[in-house]
Amino acid sequence: MAHLQAVHTTLQPQQNAYKQLTTYFDPHSQVAWGYMHAEPRPCFTPTLLRELLAWGNGMIETIDDPVQLDVKYFVLASKVPDTFSLGGDLSLFMQHIEARDRAALLHYAISCIDCSYAVHSHLNRPNVTSIALVQGQALGGGFESALAANVLIAERGARMGLPEILFNLFPGMGAMTFLGRRVGHHQAEKIIRSGKLYLAEELYEMGVVDVLAEPGEGEAAVCDYIRREEKSRNGILALRAAREVSQPASYDELVRITEIWVDAALRLEAKDLRMMERLVSRQTSKSETVAAAEPSKAFGA
């Protein structure tokens, strides 16, 4: 796991009770790092969602405390080899769909929106910048969460996409909103309808990815970006604020879209759920293979 080497060797993990998220804080550059490692699959489990929200709330408390050192940047990344995130918890989706439990499915979807909006709104603090670092695959909700960030940095060879159309659904946790703001809503819809996985290089050319890093150099690219932003920080933050006025992405918009997603999910047929089940099996198999292949590279080992 070479992509963790810099943070892993220079900083100590913060002490907390998180089980699927490891966090660091670099006081010198005032950067908070959060590395996801959900189980049994690298997706947005309810546990990971709760921990991400708790991490965000903790950063807000730090920022608002005049005694503590501010967080100026926070970085969402992954410690799972070759995977940023496989997206929503498809196994949980199927469980709620089969039970016809709209309330539970909506509750999960809103939890995803809460996390994405916290990233997109940079914790509702004007002097904070959110960064997503994609190394490996970012699928579905994983891609949506990366798109939510103020800055999306990806390594060459990383693959990102929105495969939901393959099981007769659409990405309902921010894709239209966040992708539309980056490339326009017509292009965003084309990407969503394709169900295709795109290389980071392709997405960089489209304007979806902000910074393209060499393989294994993602963390260094984050640090380089921060150094560059610091030189013109006042102007860059003011420009971002102006863009948010001219192209607003409201929480209510995200909620309304995810309600459409919930109702569409509840209309899925048996053949669609079988496709979803095959994807879950594939994701589980890949996760088990990776875990077996790299037992000595567990975080903190």
Side-chain angles (χ1 to χ4, degrees):
M1 290 179 52
H3 68 272
L4 291 178
Q5 199 63 28
V7 168
H8 188 194
T9 56
T10 59
L11 300 173
Q12 289 297 314
Q14 292 179 301
Q15 297 301 307
N16 50 51
Y18 301 155
K19 297 178 180 178
Q20 299 186 7
L21 180 70
T22 301
T23 64
Y24 296 82
F25 180 64
D26 181 352
H28 175 71
S29 53
Q30 295 172 257
V31 181
W33 298 79
Y35 289 92
M36 303 179 288
H37 45 92
E39 295 178 348
R41 293 175 301 280
C43 64
F44 286 108
T45 64
T47 296
L48 178 58
L49 291 171
R50 286 194 298 271
E51 292 177 355
L52 286 168
L53 284 172
W55 180 46
N57 289 332
M59 286 189 282
I60 290 172
E61 291 176 5
T62 298
I63 294 165
D64 293 345
D65 185 343
V67 177
Q68 302 227 38
L69 193 61
D70 281 357
V71 174
K72 294 171 69 175
Y73 302 87
F74 68 95
V75 185
L76 183 63
S78 170
K79 85 176 190 75
V80 179
D82 303 319
T83 305
F84 176 77
S85 172
L86 299 179
D89 190 333
L90 298 184
S91 181
L92 189 64
F93 289 174
M94 290 191 298
Q95 176 186 323
H96 293 328
I97 291 168
E98 289 169 350
R100 316 306 298 167
D101 194 339
R102 186 183 190 279
L105 193 57
L106 180 60
H107 176 77
Y108 173 86
I110 294 296
S111 296
C112 294
I113 293 302
D114 289 343
C115 287
S116 290
Y117 190 71
V119 171
H120 174 72
S121 67
H122 37 91
L123 305 174
N124 280 317
R125 298 302 183 273
N127 296 324
V128 176
T129 297
S130 61
I131 299 173
L133 171 58
V134 176
Q135 298 161 299
Q137 291 191 89
L139 307 182
F143 188 22
E144 288 177 297
S145 65
L147 289 168
N150 304 144
V151 181
L152 200 172
I153 297 175
E155 292 184 356
R156 292 181 182 274
R159 291 183 177 271
M160 289 164 267
L162 301 161
E164 286 85 350
I165 200 71
L166 301 179
F167 48 84
N168 204 16
L169 204 52
F170 80 102
M173 283 78 161
M176 279 301 298
T177 299
F178 302 133
L179 188 55
R181 291 175 87 246
R182 287 175 178 266
V183 297
H185 285 83
H186 178 70
Q187 180 67 10
E189 189 168 334
K190 284 179 64 176
I191 292 170
I192 290 168
R193 288 168 66 95
S194 76
K196 174 186 170 183
L197 289 186
Y198 294 84
L199 284 169
E201 294 91 323
E202 296 176 89
L203 294 171
Y204 178 74
E205 291 299 322
M206 292 182 197
V208 176
V209 169
D210 297 301
V211 177
L212 197 58
E214 295 302 317
E217 299 297 323
E219 286 187 343
V222 170
C223 296
D224 288 343
Y225 173 84
I226 289 172
R227 279 193 289 270
R228 291 196 305 273
E229 180 171 303
E230 283 294 303
K231 295 177 182 178
S232 307
R233 185 166 170 77
N234 180 64
I236 289 171
L237 294 182
L239 177 60
R240 184 181 72 193
R243 185 175 67 245
E244 290 172 350
V245 170
S246 67
Q247 296 179 302
S250 72
Y251 181 79
D252 287 346
E253 174 186 325
L254 295 172
V255 170
R256 288 199 301 272
I257 291 173
T258 209
E259 286 175 339
I260 294 170
W261 177 88
V262 168
D263 291 332
L266 291 171
R267 293 194 299 269
L268 292 178
E269 299 177 0
K271 63 181 177 60
D272 304 317
L273 295 178
R274 285 195 295 272
M275 172 62 80
M276 195 181 292
E277 188 170 16
R278 285 197 290 272
L279 288 174
V280 172
S281 298
R282 206 175 305 162
Q283 291 174 359
T284 302
S285 175
K286 179 178 179 181
S287 299
E288 290 173 349
T289 300
V290 168
E294 299 205 11
S296 64
K297 294 186 178 181
F299 211 60

Short mmCIF file of all heavy atoms in Angstrom, two decimals, residues 53 56-57 60 63 74 113-131 145 147-151 177-178 181 237 240-241 243-244 248-251 254:
data_model
loop_
_atom_site.label_atom_id
_atom_site.label_comp_id
_atom_site.label_asym_id
_atom_site.label_seq_id
_atom_site.Cartn_x
_atom_site.Cartn_y
_atom_site.Cartn_z
N LEU A 53 -19.60 11.18 9.32
CA LEU A 53 -20.32 12.34 9.87
C LEU A 53 -19.72 12.76 11.21
O LEU A 53 -19.59 13.96 11.50
CB LEU A 53 -21.80 12.01 10.03
CG LEU A 53 -22.62 12.00 8.73
CD1 LEU A 53 -24.02 11.48 8.99
CD2 LEU A 53 -22.68 13.40 8.11
N GLY A 56 -16.56 14.66 10.53
CA GLY A 56 -16.87 16.02 10.11
C GLY A 56 -17.30 16.90 11.26
O GLY A 56 -16.86 18.06 11.39
N ASN A 57 -18.16 16.38 12.14
CA ASN A 57 -18.61 17.16 13.30
C ASN A 57 -17.45 17.48 14.23
O ASN A 57 -17.38 18.57 14.81
CB ASN A 57 -19.70 16.40 14.05
CG ASN A 57 -21.01 16.36 13.28
OD1 ASN A 57 -21.30 17.25 12.49
ND2 ASN A 57 -21.80 15.32 13.50
N ILE A 60 -15.56 20.36 12.79
CA ILE A 60 -16.29 21.61 13.01
C ILE A 60 -16.05 22.12 14.43
O ILE A 60 -15.81 23.32 14.65
CB ILE A 60 -17.80 21.40 12.76
CG1 ILE A 60 -18.06 21.20 11.27
CG2 ILE A 60 -18.61 22.58 13.28
CD1 ILE A 60 -19.47 20.79 10.93
N ILE A 63 -12.61 23.62 14.52
CA ILE A 63 -12.56 24.90 13.80
C ILE A 63 -13.20 26.01 14.64
O ILE A 63 -12.70 27.15 14.68
CB ILE A 63 -13.26 24.77 12.44
CG1 ILE A 63 -12.46 23.82 11.53
CG2 ILE A 63 -13.41 26.14 11.77
CD1 ILE A 63 -13.24 23.34 10.32
N PHE A 74 -9.46 19.16 4.40
CA PHE A 74 -9.64 17.76 4.78
C PHE A 74 -9.70 16.90 3.53
O PHE A 74 -10.26 17.30 2.51
CB PHE A 74 -10.83 17.54 5.71
CG PHE A 74 -12.20 17.75 5.11
CD1 PHE A 74 -12.93 16.69 4.59
CD2 PHE A 74 -12.80 19.01 5.13
CE1 PHE A 74 -14.20 16.88 4.07
CE2 PHE A 74 -14.07 19.20 4.63
CZ PHE A 74 -14.78 18.14 4.09
N ILE A 113 -26.46 11.43 1.61
CA ILE A 113 -26.55 12.84 1.24
C ILE A 113 -25.91 13.73 2.30
O ILE A 113 -25.21 14.70 1.99
CB ILE A 113 -28.03 13.25 1.03
CG1 ILE A 113 -28.61 12.53 -0.18
CG2 ILE A 113 -28.16 14.76 0.90
CD1 ILE A 113 -27.90 12.78 -1.46
N ASP A 114 -26.14 13.40 3.56
CA ASP A 114 -25.56 14.19 4.65
C ASP A 114 -24.03 14.22 4.53
O ASP A 114 -23.40 15.27 4.71
CB ASP A 114 -25.96 13.62 6.01
CG ASP A 114 -27.43 13.86 6.34
OD1 ASP A 114 -28.06 14.72 5.69
OD2 ASP A 114 -27.96 13.17 7.23
N CYS A 115 -23.44 13.06 4.23
CA CYS A 115 -21.98 13.00 4.10
C CYS A 115 -21.51 13.78 2.88
O CYS A 115 -20.57 14.58 2.96
CB CYS A 115 -21.53 11.54 3.98
SG CYS A 115 -21.61 10.61 5.53
N SER A 116 -22.17 13.58 1.74
CA SER A 116 -21.75 14.26 0.52
C SER A 116 -21.90 15.77 0.64
O SER A 116 -21.04 16.53 0.18
CB SER A 116 -22.57 13.75 -0.68
OG SER A 116 -22.22 12.43 -1.00
N TYR A 117 -23.00 16.20 1.27
CA TYR A 117 -23.21 17.63 1.38
C TYR A 117 -22.18 18.26 2.33
O TYR A 117 -21.73 19.39 2.10
CB TYR A 117 -24.62 17.95 1.86
CG TYR A 117 -24.94 19.43 1.75
CD1 TYR A 117 -25.11 20.01 0.50
CD2 TYR A 117 -25.02 20.24 2.88
CE1 TYR A 117 -25.37 21.37 0.37
CE2 TYR A 117 -25.28 21.60 2.76
CZ TYR A 117 -25.45 22.15 1.51
OH TYR A 117 -25.70 23.50 1.39
N ALA A 118 -21.80 17.54 3.38
CA ALA A 118 -20.76 18.05 4.28
C ALA A 118 -19.45 18.24 3.53
O ALA A 118 -18.73 19.22 3.73
CB ALA A 118 -20.57 17.10 5.46
N VAL A 119 -19.15 17.30 2.63
CA VAL A 119 -17.93 17.41 1.81
C VAL A 119 -18.07 18.58 0.84
O VAL A 119 -17.17 19.42 0.72
CB VAL A 119 -17.67 16.09 1.06
CG1 VAL A 119 -16.54 16.26 0.04
CG2 VAL A 119 -17.33 14.97 2.04
N HIS A 120 -19.19 18.62 0.13
CA HIS A 120 -19.38 19.66 -0.87
C HIS A 120 -19.39 21.07 -0.26
O HIS A 120 -18.82 22.00 -0.82
CB HIS A 120 -20.69 19.44 -1.63
CG HIS A 120 -21.01 20.55 -2.56
ND1 HIS A 120 -20.30 20.75 -3.73
CD2 HIS A 120 -21.92 21.55 -2.50
CE1 HIS A 120 -20.77 21.82 -4.34
NE2 HIS A 120 -21.76 22.32 -3.62
N SER A 121 -20.05 21.20 0.89
CA SER A 121 -20.17 22.53 1.53
C SER A 121 -18.97 22.87 2.39
O SER A 121 -18.99 23.86 3.11
CB SER A 121 -21.44 22.56 2.39
OG SER A 121 -21.32 21.68 3.50
N HIS A 122 -17.91 22.02 2.30
CA HIS A 122 -16.69 22.20 3.09
C HIS A 122 -17.05 22.52 4.54
O HIS A 122 -16.55 23.48 5.14
CB HIS A 122 -15.75 23.25 2.46
CG HIS A 122 -16.46 24.43 1.83
ND1 HIS A 122 -16.75 25.58 2.52
CD2 HIS A 122 -16.94 24.62 0.58
CE1 HIS A 122 -17.38 26.43 1.72
NE2 HIS A 122 -17.51 25.86 0.54
N LEU A 123 -17.95 21.67 5.09
CA LEU A 123 -18.39 21.73 6.50
C LEU A 123 -19.09 23.05 6.83
O LEU A 123 -19.16 23.45 7.99
CB LEU A 123 -17.20 21.52 7.45
CG LEU A 123 -16.39 20.24 7.23
CD1 LEU A 123 -15.17 20.22 8.15
CD2 LEU A 123 -17.25 19.00 7.48
N ASN A 124 -19.59 23.73 5.80
CA ASN A 124 -20.24 25.03 5.99
C ASN A 124 -19.31 26.05 6.63
O ASN A 124 -19.75 26.96 7.35
CB ASN A 124 -21.52 24.90 6.82
CG ASN A 124 -22.69 24.41 5.99
OD1 ASN A 124 -22.90 24.87 4.87
ND2 ASN A 124 -23.45 23.46 6.53
N ARG A 125 -18.03 25.89 6.36
CA ARG A 125 -17.03 26.83 6.85
C ARG A 125 -16.29 27.40 5.65
O ARG A 125 -15.69 26.66 4.87
CB ARG A 125 -16.05 26.16 7.83
CG ARG A 125 -16.67 25.60 9.10
CD ARG A 125 -17.41 26.68 9.89
NE ARG A 125 -17.97 26.22 11.14
CZ ARG A 125 -19.17 25.67 11.30
NH1 ARG A 125 -19.95 25.44 10.24
NH2 ARG A 125 -19.63 25.31 12.49
N PRO A 126 -16.31 28.74 5.45
CA PRO A 126 -15.78 29.31 4.21
C PRO A 126 -14.29 29.12 3.99
O PRO A 126 -13.81 29.16 2.85
CB PRO A 126 -16.13 30.80 4.33
CG PRO A 126 -16.29 31.04 5.80
CD PRO A 126 -16.84 29.77 6.35
N ASN A 127 -13.53 28.91 5.07
CA ASN A 127 -12.08 28.82 4.93
C ASN A 127 -11.56 27.39 4.92
O ASN A 127 -10.36 27.16 5.11
CB ASN A 127 -11.40 29.60 6.07
CG ASN A 127 -11.70 31.08 5.98
OD1 ASN A 127 -11.79 31.65 4.89
ND2 ASN A 127 -11.89 31.72 7.13
N VAL A 128 -12.45 26.44 4.69
CA VAL A 128 -12.07 25.02 4.63
C VAL A 128 -12.22 24.54 3.19
O VAL A 128 -13.15 24.92 2.49
CB VAL A 128 -12.94 24.17 5.56
CG1 VAL A 128 -12.61 22.69 5.43
CG2 VAL A 128 -12.78 24.62 7.01
N THR A 129 -11.28 23.70 2.75
CA THR A 129 -11.33 23.10 1.41
C THR A 129 -11.39 21.59 1.54
O THR A 129 -10.58 21.00 2.27
CB THR A 129 -10.09 23.49 0.58
OG1 THR A 129 -10.08 24.91 0.40
CG2 THR A 129 -10.10 22.81 -0.78
N SER A 130 -12.34 20.97 0.85
CA SER A 130 -12.44 19.50 0.85
C SER A 130 -11.76 18.95 -0.40
O SER A 130 -11.89 19.50 -1.50
CB SER A 130 -13.90 19.05 0.91
OG SER A 130 -14.63 19.51 -0.22
N ILE A 131 -11.04 17.85 -0.21
CA ILE A 131 -10.29 17.22 -1.30
C ILE A 131 -10.62 15.73 -1.30
O ILE A 131 -10.61 15.08 -0.25
CB ILE A 131 -8.78 17.41 -1.12
CG1 ILE A 131 -8.42 18.91 -1.13
CG2 ILE A 131 -8.00 16.67 -2.21
CD1 ILE A 131 -6.96 19.19 -0.79
N SER A 145 -19.28 10.62 -4.17
CA SER A 145 -18.65 11.25 -3.00
C SER A 145 -17.38 12.00 -3.40
O SER A 145 -17.07 13.05 -2.84
CB SER A 145 -18.33 10.20 -1.92
OG SER A 145 -17.36 9.28 -2.38
N LEU A 147 -16.93 13.36 -6.41
CA LEU A 147 -17.40 14.52 -7.14
C LEU A 147 -17.86 15.64 -6.20
O LEU A 147 -17.83 16.82 -6.57
CB LEU A 147 -18.59 14.13 -8.05
CG LEU A 147 -18.26 13.26 -9.26
CD1 LEU A 147 -19.55 12.71 -9.86
CD2 LEU A 147 -17.49 14.07 -10.30
N ALA A 148 -18.30 15.26 -5.01
CA ALA A 148 -18.79 16.26 -4.05
C ALA A 148 -17.69 17.17 -3.55
O ALA A 148 -17.96 18.30 -3.11
CB ALA A 148 -19.46 15.56 -2.87
N ALA A 149 -16.45 16.71 -3.59
CA ALA A 149 -15.35 17.48 -3.02
C ALA A 149 -15.08 18.75 -3.83
O ALA A 149 -15.34 18.82 -5.03
CB ALA A 149 -14.08 16.64 -2.96
N ASN A 150 -14.53 19.74 -3.16
CA ASN A 150 -14.14 20.98 -3.84
C ASN A 150 -13.04 20.72 -4.86
O ASN A 150 -12.99 21.37 -5.91
CB ASN A 150 -13.65 22.01 -2.84
CG ASN A 150 -14.64 22.32 -1.74
OD1 ASN A 150 -14.27 22.55 -0.60
ND2 ASN A 150 -15.94 22.32 -2.06
N VAL A 151 -12.17 19.77 -4.56
CA VAL A 151 -11.06 19.42 -5.45
C VAL A 151 -11.00 17.90 -5.57
O VAL A 151 -10.98 17.20 -4.57
CB VAL A 151 -9.71 19.94 -4.90
CG1 VAL A 151 -8.57 19.60 -5.85
CG2 VAL A 151 -9.77 21.45 -4.65
N THR A 177 -26.21 16.52 -9.60
CA THR A 177 -25.88 17.82 -9.02
C THR A 177 -24.39 18.14 -9.16
O THR A 177 -24.00 19.18 -9.70
CB THR A 177 -26.29 17.86 -7.54
OG1 THR A 177 -27.71 17.66 -7.45
CG2 THR A 177 -25.91 19.18 -6.89
N PHE A 178 -23.54 17.25 -8.68
CA PHE A 178 -22.11 17.53 -8.62
C PHE A 178 -21.43 17.38 -9.98
O PHE A 178 -20.57 18.19 -10.35
CB PHE A 178 -21.44 16.63 -7.58
CG PHE A 178 -22.00 16.78 -6.20
CD1 PHE A 178 -22.32 15.66 -5.43
CD2 PHE A 178 -22.24 18.03 -5.65
CE1 PHE A 178 -22.85 15.80 -4.16
CE2 PHE A 178 -22.77 18.18 -4.37
CZ PHE A 178 -23.08 17.05 -3.62
N ARG A 181 -22.43 20.27 -12.30
CA ARG A 181 -21.74 21.54 -12.04
C ARG A 181 -20.33 21.53 -12.65
O ARG A 181 -19.76 22.58 -12.91
CB ARG A 181 -21.65 21.81 -10.54
CG ARG A 181 -22.99 22.13 -9.90
CD ARG A 181 -22.89 22.27 -8.40
NE ARG A 181 -22.54 23.63 -8.01
CZ ARG A 181 -21.41 23.99 -7.43
NH1 ARG A 181 -20.49 23.10 -7.18
NH2 ARG A 181 -21.19 25.23 -7.09
N LEU A 237 -10.48 31.09 -2.56
CA LEU A 237 -11.67 30.90 -1.73
C LEU A 237 -12.78 31.87 -2.14
O LEU A 237 -13.96 31.52 -2.13
CB LEU A 237 -11.33 31.07 -0.25
CG LEU A 237 -10.41 30.01 0.35
CD1 LEU A 237 -10.20 30.27 1.84
CD2 LEU A 237 -10.96 28.60 0.14
N ARG A 240 -14.32 30.50 -5.29
CA ARG A 240 -15.20 29.38 -4.97
C ARG A 240 -16.53 29.88 -4.41
O ARG A 240 -17.61 29.40 -4.79
CB ARG A 240 -14.54 28.45 -3.96
CG ARG A 240 -15.38 27.21 -3.65
CD ARG A 240 -14.70 26.33 -2.63
NE ARG A 240 -14.72 26.93 -1.30
CZ ARG A 240 -13.98 26.51 -0.27
NH1 ARG A 240 -13.14 25.51 -0.43
NH2 ARG A 240 -14.07 27.10 0.90
N ALA A 241 -16.48 30.87 -3.54
CA ALA A 241 -17.70 31.44 -2.96
C ALA A 241 -18.58 32.04 -4.06
O ALA A 241 -19.81 31.88 -4.05
CB ALA A 241 -17.36 32.49 -1.92
N ARG A 243 -18.61 31.12 -7.23
CA ARG A 243 -19.15 30.01 -8.01
C ARG A 243 -20.34 29.37 -7.30
O ARG A 243 -21.33 28.98 -7.92
CB ARG A 243 -18.08 28.96 -8.28
CG ARG A 243 -18.56 27.83 -9.20
CD ARG A 243 -17.44 26.87 -9.55
NE ARG A 243 -16.98 26.11 -8.41
CZ ARG A 243 -15.77 26.21 -7.88
NH1 ARG A 243 -14.90 27.06 -8.38
NH2 ARG A 243 -15.42 25.46 -6.84
N GLU A 244 -20.27 29.27 -5.99
CA GLU A 244 -21.36 28.68 -5.23
C GLU A 244 -22.62 29.55 -5.24
O GLU A 244 -23.72 29.05 -5.06
CB GLU A 244 -20.90 28.39 -3.80
CG GLU A 244 -19.89 27.24 -3.75
CD GLU A 244 -19.26 27.04 -2.39
OE1 GLU A 244 -19.45 27.90 -1.51
OE2 GLU A 244 -18.58 26.02 -2.21
N PRO A 248 -25.43 27.22 -7.40
CA PRO A 248 -25.68 26.65 -6.08
C PRO A 248 -26.07 25.17 -6.16
O PRO A 248 -26.68 24.72 -7.13
CB PRO A 248 -26.86 27.49 -5.57
CG PRO A 248 -27.54 27.97 -6.80
CD PRO A 248 -26.46 28.20 -7.80
N ALA A 249 -25.67 24.42 -5.16
CA ALA A 249 -26.06 23.02 -5.00
C ALA A 249 -26.64 22.90 -3.60
O ALA A 249 -25.91 22.81 -2.62
CB ALA A 249 -24.86 22.10 -5.17
N SER A 250 -27.95 22.92 -3.51
CA SER A 250 -28.59 22.97 -2.19
C SER A 250 -28.84 21.58 -1.63
O SER A 250 -28.98 20.59 -2.37
CB SER A 250 -29.93 23.72 -2.29
OG SER A 250 -30.88 22.93 -2.96
N TYR A 251 -28.91 21.52 -0.32
CA TYR A 251 -29.23 20.26 0.36
C TYR A 251 -30.62 19.79 -0.05
O TYR A 251 -30.84 18.59 -0.27
CB TYR A 251 -29.15 20.48 1.87
CG TYR A 251 -29.45 19.24 2.69
CD1 TYR A 251 -28.48 18.26 2.87
CD2 TYR A 251 -30.69 19.06 3.30
CE1 TYR A 251 -28.75 17.12 3.62
CE2 TYR A 251 -30.96 17.94 4.05
CZ TYR A 251 -29.99 16.97 4.21
OH TYR A 251 -30.26 15.84 4.95
N LEU A 254 -30.57 17.89 -3.29
CA LEU A 254 -30.05 16.53 -3.13
C LEU A 254 -31.11 15.60 -2.53
O LEU A 254 -31.26 14.45 -2.96
CB LEU A 254 -28.81 16.55 -2.23
CG LEU A 254 -27.58 17.28 -2.79
CD1 LEU A 254 -26.50 17.37 -1.74
CD2 LEU A 254 -27.05 16.58 -4.04
#
